[in-house]
Amino acid sequence: MEERVLRVYIGRAVSYALLLLVALLFVIPVFWMLSGSLKTLGEIYTFPPQWIPLHPKFSNYVEAWQAAPFGRYYLNTVIVAFFGTAIEIVDAVLVAYALVFLRFPGKNLFFLALVAALMVPIHATMIANYATVSSLGWVNTYQGIIVPGAATVVAAFLLRQHFTTIPRELVEAARLDGAGHLRTLWSVLLPVSRPVLVTGALITLVGKWNDFLWPLVVTNTSNMRVLSVGLAQLYNQEGQNQWGVIMAATIFVIVPVILVFLRWQKHIVSGLTAGTTKY
């Protein structure tokens, strides 16, 4: 009995040690970036590393903000992330509802095509998207950045999997009460799908916020750049002599996403696991 209890304790200790190791792999780079944003260049290159700056240099944040039009970058990124996420989630909800609750020929084939689309890298469609956007005169416009990414399938897949777990009786009861498709979707399905909606929205929002390649390709003026592109421009401008300023600018970029994640993180696990056991 004592040997069995000992094995349980050892197993837990090993599990916690592995979890701590994985957590450190993610936390240490972020902490080093935060620490570096408050150091001089000499302190950053000091060996052994100085993890906590003795004299925090907060002026790095002022220099970073003044080195590039971050106010404009923030505005562009917020517009692109908000409207891009909203359009994509609405599209995903309607697609998932149709795949689960509507009857039409080739529904399963359409779903398989949707899953297959998950495997296609965005780079494979970039030339075709740019040709289309350019022919429409949408280069250097918000719609040029947002519309080509408005129909990605991750959120649609998550919602479709979740909708299959909702009891049919719930939907049939709503229809007996006279609810149409939109009323059933809005009043019955969406209220019980909040964790999946939040998870899909967060995944989409983070993708839009961090997107670098497409905004770089489809814009060529500074007033239409987003934060990720502006950060790369700042690096090219400051080079390797202003790491403190560059790390301060990086903090500008990641803080909003971290705050959003902390606000809604309790929904993520339940949202990601919803519907994973049912095809």
Side-chain angles (χ1 to χ4, degrees):
M1 184 66 180
E2 291 181 354
E3 184 179 350
R4 182 179 176 184
V5 172
L6 182 61
R7 283 203 299 270
V8 170
Y9 280 122
I10 292 175
R12 287 182 180 176
V14 172
S15 300
Y16 288 139
L18 290 174
L19 288 173
L20 180 62
L21 178 62
V22 172
L24 288 176
L25 288 176
F26 286 95
V27 170
I28 286 178
V30 177
F31 180 78
W32 179 251
M33 182 171 60
L34 178 61
S35 173
S37 71
L38 298 172
K39 292 178 181 176
T40 63
L41 187 62
E43 290 174 322
I44 291 174
Y45 281 115
T46 298
F47 188 84
Q50 185 179 345
W51 290 94
I52 299 177
L54 297 177
H55 304 288
K57 189 181 177 187
F58 292 100
S59 60
N60 283 340
Y61 286 87
V62 178
E63 293 179 32
W65 188 265
Q66 294 175 344
F70 274 99
R72 183 68 192 187
Y73 296 159
Y74 257 110
L75 176 64
N76 293 339
T77 306
V78 168
I79 291 173
V80 169
F82 176 78
F83 286 101
T85 301
I87 294 171
E88 190 168 324
I89 291 300
V90 170
D91 176 64
V93 167
L94 296 177
V95 169
Y97 181 87
L99 285 173
V100 177
F101 298 107
L102 299 184
R103 293 180 181 177
F104 57 89
K107 185 166 72 171
N108 292 331
L109 188 62
F110 182 79
F111 176 64
L112 288 176
L114 198 68
V115 174
L118 286 170
M119 313 301 169
V120 179
I122 188 173
H123 311 85
T125 60
M126 190 158 292
I127 294 176
N129 284 339
Y130 183 81
T132 304
V133 167
S134 179
S135 66
L136 293 171
W138 285 1
V139 174
N140 282 322
T141 63
Y142 290 122
Q143 62 268 32
I145 304 174
I146 295 171
V147 172
T152 53
V153 297
V154 175
F157 178 77
L158 285 175
L159 283 163
R160 186 266 181 192
Q161 295 302 96
H162 171 67
F163 283 169
T164 59
T165 66
I166 296 177
R168 291 280 179 165
E169 293 79 6
L170 201 60
V171 176
E172 291 171 0
R175 288 174 180 169
L176 287 175
D177 288 339
H181 289 301
L182 289 179
R183 184 71 176 174
T184 302
L185 179 63
W186 181 261
S187 302
V188 177
L189 297 177
L190 293 186
V192 298
S193 306
R194 188 177 179 187
V196 183
L197 282 172
V198 172
T199 302
L202 276 177
I203 293 173
T204 305
L205 178 67
V206 172
K208 303 289 183 190
W209 190 272
N210 294 330
D211 193 13
F212 171 77
L213 191 55
W214 178 246
L216 176 67
V217 169
V218 81
T219 61
N220 53 36
T221 59
S222 181
N223 66 340
M224 285 304 300
R225 297 296 199 190
V226 295
L227 280 170
S228 56
V229 179
L231 187 61
Q233 284 185 324
L234 180 65
Y235 172 76
N236 293 331
Q237 176 182 321
E238 299 294 337
Q240 299 183 0
N241 296 322
Q242 295 292 341
W243 278 114
V245 175
I246 294 171
M247 290 187 186
T250 307
I251 296 294
F252 290 159
V253 176
I254 67 171
V255 163
V257 177
I258 291 177
L259 293 178
V260 170
F261 171 79
L262 292 177
R263 172 63 181 84
W264 297 102
Q265 55 86 24
K266 68 178 181 180
H267 295 290
I268 290 181
V269 174
S270 57
L272 287 174
T273 56
T276 55
T277 59
K278 187 172 182 179
Y279 176 78

